[in-house]
Amino acid sequence: MDEEYGGFLSETIVSNGRNNSRLMEGILKQQQELLGMDSSKYSVEFMKNGTDKQEHQVLSCQSVVKVLSPDDGRLSIVQAAQQLCRAVELKEKTSKDINVTVLDSLLRESKNIPDPDLVLKFGPVESTLGFLPWHIRLTEIISMPSHVDVSYDDLFGALQRYAMCDQRLGK
Amino acid sequence: MLRGFALVAAVAFLCRHFLSEEEDVILQPGKSTVMSWIRERELSFIERLTANILKAGPMPKHVAFIMDGNRRFAQKAHVQRQEGHSQGFEKLAETLRLCLNLGIHEVTVYAFSIENFKRSKEEVDGLMELARQKFSRLLTEHENLERHGVCIRVLGDLTLLPIDLQQLIAKAVVATKAHNKCFLNVCFAYTSRHEIANAVKEMAWGVEQGLIKPSDVSEVLLGECLYSSNSPNPDLLIRTSGEVRLSDFLLWQTSYSCLVFQSVLWPEYSFWNLCEAVLQYQLSYRSLQKAGDLHREGQALQQMEADRCCVAELLQHRGNGKPMDAQSRQKELLNYTASREERVHCFLNALQHKRDTVFSDLSSQAVVA
């Protein structure tokens, strides 16, 4: 089943950076416990507003887990903006060169996070709370009551809802 | 004792309900106050009761709408698509009135996305024509708009629109610029990514002009370069027709907003749907306030840290080898922060002036029949 739904799962924590390492530890531990010998097939990457130091080979059947922090949202866009402004200051670029495509490729350069197709939002707060604003322009947002004791049925139900979405892309 | 308290609360509530003045615009008797963009709509008794109950809790000041479902409504009602869009506009006018009745004085709507240009020429032309009609009509109601203090803003890349429509829009925006009782922001030829990229472009322009430095670029500054810079972020974003995505609308501004997805089709939107959304906002209010406060604290810390780094760099360049004492360092930091704020202030004024000039130029070109 994992192979079919191989792709990116990302989680974000709202409060502070300290929780990221604990979540990371938790994920690695769970990986060992649940997957045992297979755990090496699934790479877990700790982002925390860093850059991709190594390109993980993503095979079509491999699941990649990226753990994000609030800094991966607006702050990444700000950093890309600073980079472009520095280039303009050095006369390597002009302001007229800046458009959606340029900004988009710059954002992908430092951190290759593809646009999520689906966001599963856990908890009662009806907000994205700063999650990847640039990337979620067309993302379906499905709310689940809690991340505690999520059953396979809950997850599958969400995926079925996703499958029924009809994206007209403006047309 | 509890019964006594309940009785007092009930009496207080009823007094408030019957004696409360509507917070919205006061209609002067005897004068025509008809506005095509804000429908006349009295609240029924039960609607007023509900409104007052809601107003006992926190109310959003700025609500954004993705008015989705016009075409599906047309199909359902067996009418032309164009009629669906027309009814959609009528519903906008009614919803604006309902918002004012609830004390919501700023509304932002997603009227036309840059992606919508992909639709058939017939539909796009139809929508442009609808916009022409509505903006032209708006301009004839100038007196009422002034009386009610309605400020219309249009956000988007207007250069993508036919020139005559650009001129009409500019005239409407310039005519209502000074009004400040309620605000309607219409996103037309808009996507959020374009808006963000444009904000970055403007900051780069600021660097080119020598008004700001790359190190002045911050989350706060980017926010002030968006088309929506004259508005606070929306408290509540509502999308109708059952879709659960943002479709490139206000992605930056709604990061900490309450998102409500409702299945009702836009032309069928009712007062009760609006109340349901506001209730959802009230339920998420505490968490969102906390998250927003935390985020703002983080922004302030980041700015301070950035200023410290810049000062450290400056001192290094200027350095004569002698280490600085903490008091002088603090003084340098305060000076640097003050000069950065001054720079940014001048830049934002220049940007506002640049934008105002575009609108006033277009407006003076316009010939209204």
Side-chain angles (χ1 to χ4, degrees), chain A:
Chain A
M1 253 329 188
D2 286 310
E3 274 100 26
E4 278 177 53
Y5 298 112
F8 293 102
L9 283 169
S10 41
E11 292 183 52
T12 188
I13 308 168
V14 177
S15 42
N16 58 50
R18 267 175 288 156
N19 286 354
N20 277 26
S21 1
R22 275 157 75 191
L23 178 67
M24 184 73 174
E25 274 166 35
I27 291 174
L28 289 169
K29 186 157 165 262
Q30 286 266 299
Q31 218 186 11
Q32 284 297 323
E33 283 173 15
L34 297 171
L35 301 172
M37 288 200 296
D38 287 337
S39 64
S40 56
K41 274 199 218 158
Y42 305 97
S43 66
V44 184
E45 207 180 303
F46 188 41
M47 306 272 330
K48 203 201 180 302
N49 200 30
T51 56
D52 273 353
K53 295 239 163 57
Q54 297 162 327
E55 272 306 320
H56 289 271
Q57 292 290 48
V58 181
L59 303 175
S60 60
C61 63
Q62 199 172 41
S63 282
V64 178
V65 178
K66 297 201 181 205
V67 181
L68 306 176
S69 79
D71 290 349
D72 294 303
R74 285 181 176 183
L75 208 58
S76 295
I77 301 173
V78 170
Q79 285 167 346
Q82 283 170 339
Q83 210 178 323
L84 287 168
C85 285
R86 280 193 292 267
V88 163
E89 191 181 44
L90 296 169
K91 309 243 194 290
E92 289 166 8
K93 274 193 163 71
T94 68
S95 64
K96 288 193 171 37
D97 297 331
I98 298 172
N99 56 37
V100 175
T101 318
V102 165
L103 187 52
D104 191 54
S105 17
L106 195 55
L107 284 167
R108 311 259 168 221
E109 231 173 67
S110 62
K111 269 179 284 209
N112 191 14
I113 306 172
D115 292 352
D117 299 299
L118 169 65
V119 156
L120 289 180
K121 188 184 65 65
F122 297 96
V125 180
E126 298 303 328
S127 173
T128 54
L129 295 172
F131 180 75
L132 297 182
W134 181 267
H135 298 71
I136 59 168
R137 73 176 168 131
L138 295 175
T139 306
E140 305 291 338
I141 302 169
I142 292 177
S143 292
M144 316 263 286
S146 172
H147 63 289
V148 177
D149 290 332
V150 174
S151 71
Y152 181 80
D153 284 336
D154 296 332
L155 187 59
F156 193 68
L159 290 172
Q160 282 180 315
R161 265 190 75 184
Y162 170 77
M164 292 193 325
C165 289
D166 171 29
Q167 291 220 348
R168 296 171 294 279
L169 301 168
K171 286 208 271 270

Side-chain angles (χ1 to χ4, degrees), chain B residues 280-313:
Chain B
Q280 193 56 252
Y281 167 78
Q282 293 184 333
L283 293 171
S284 295
Y285 181 75
R286 291 262 269 273
S287 313
L288 288 178
Q289 283 302 106
K290 222 162 106 178
D293 289 342
L294 215 70
H295 181 76
R296 274 182 291 275
E297 261 174 49
Q299 273 179 330
L301 280 169
Q302 260 152 22
Q303 184 65 80
M304 209 154 68
E305 201 40 55
D307 283 352
R308 268 208 192 97
C309 286
C310 288
V311 170
E313 241 182 79

Side-chain angles (χ1 to χ4, degrees), chain B residues 84 223 237 252 282 360:
Chain B
L237 168 62
W252 181 280
Q282 293 184 333
S360 53

Side-chain angles (χ1 to χ4, degrees), chain B residues 16 22-23 50-57 59 101-103 282:
Chain B
R16 185 157 181 260
E22 302 254 281
E23 281 167 3
T50 310
N52 280 326
I53 294 173
L54 276 179
K55 285 191 208 176
M59 291 296 284
N101 289 345
L102 286 171
Q282 293 184 333

